[in-house]
Amino acid sequence: MSEDKGQVITDPAHRHRSQTKRDQLVAQVFELLDDTELANGLIQTLHTHYPRHTIDQLKIVLQSAKQHPQHINEAVKELNRLGLTSANDLRDITISLDIQYGKHKAKQAVINEKYKDMTAPERHPDIYLKVLQGGR
């Protein structure tokens, strides 16, 4: 306790603990991303634009990487290409890439072998006109 009036009392160890947490998160980001240059650029960007919230930004990056690990590297490249700086933007890009990949995957039709030789019966259009007019 300080006896001087109005003096701010701080403990340097308080800052040190948050720094080690940040370092742990940075190490996890480096493990998840394949390209260390890409990871370094992402971390520097987040630290430059969000110095007080770097830990929160890194947590969002890690969460996005765990939810969509197959798209995280491509998402970081896209983030850099677009000039975006937020981890929320990175999360949105990974979700977008996952949706796009799901649509391409869904387009591949699977043919059931049981029904591959069947054909639909062909009818003349007159039959449909009679049904619509009330006749059978």
Side-chain angles (χ1 to χ4, degrees):
M1 297 290 283
S2 175
E3 294 181 9
D4 296 335
K5 192 172 187 175
Q7 187 174 0
V8 178
I9 302 169
T10 60
D11 185 9
H14 292 158
R15 285 191 214 113
H16 182 67
R17 274 189 248 138
S18 66
Q19 190 68 21
T20 58
K21 174 75 171 180
R22 181 175 115 23
D23 293 340
Q24 289 172 352
L25 293 173
V26 166
Q28 290 177 3
V29 169
F30 273 108
E31 288 174 10
L32 289 174
L33 294 176
D34 294 337
D35 189 3
T36 56
E37 191 174 305
L38 219 71
N40 193 24
L42 175 65
I43 291 166
Q44 290 299 325
T45 301
L46 293 176
H47 184 65
T48 302
H49 291 281
Y50 305 98
R52 293 182 63 194
H53 304 287
T54 304
I55 291 175
D56 296 329
Q57 293 286 313
L58 291 172
K59 286 180 182 178
I60 294 170
V61 170
L62 291 172
Q63 183 182 18
S64 298
K66 287 178 184 173
Q67 289 178 349
H68 308 286
Q70 65 274 16
H71 303 297
I72 192 68
N73 290 310
E74 187 178 349
V76 173
K77 290 176 186 174
E78 187 70 14
L79 186 83
N80 290 338
R81 187 184 72 77
L82 295 173
L84 301 173
T85 60
S86 172
N88 291 323
D89 294 333
L90 178 70
R91 181 196 60 215
D92 294 343
I93 292 171
T94 56
I95 292 170
S96 160
L97 290 172
D98 190 49
I99 291 170
Q100 287 176 0
Y101 178 74
K103 285 182 181 178
H104 291 302
K105 192 174 182 182
K107 287 183 182 179
Q108 298 172 351
V110 177
I111 298 174
N112 191 341
E113 295 294 324
K114 181 178 177 182
Y115 303 111
K116 71 176 184 178
D117 295 329
M118 295 180 94
T119 57
E122 293 183 20
R123 297 187 179 114
H124 294 289
D126 296 338
I127 295 172
Y128 297 108
L129 289 174
K130 287 180 186 176
V131 171
L132 289 173
Q133 290 173 353
R136 291 194 181 243

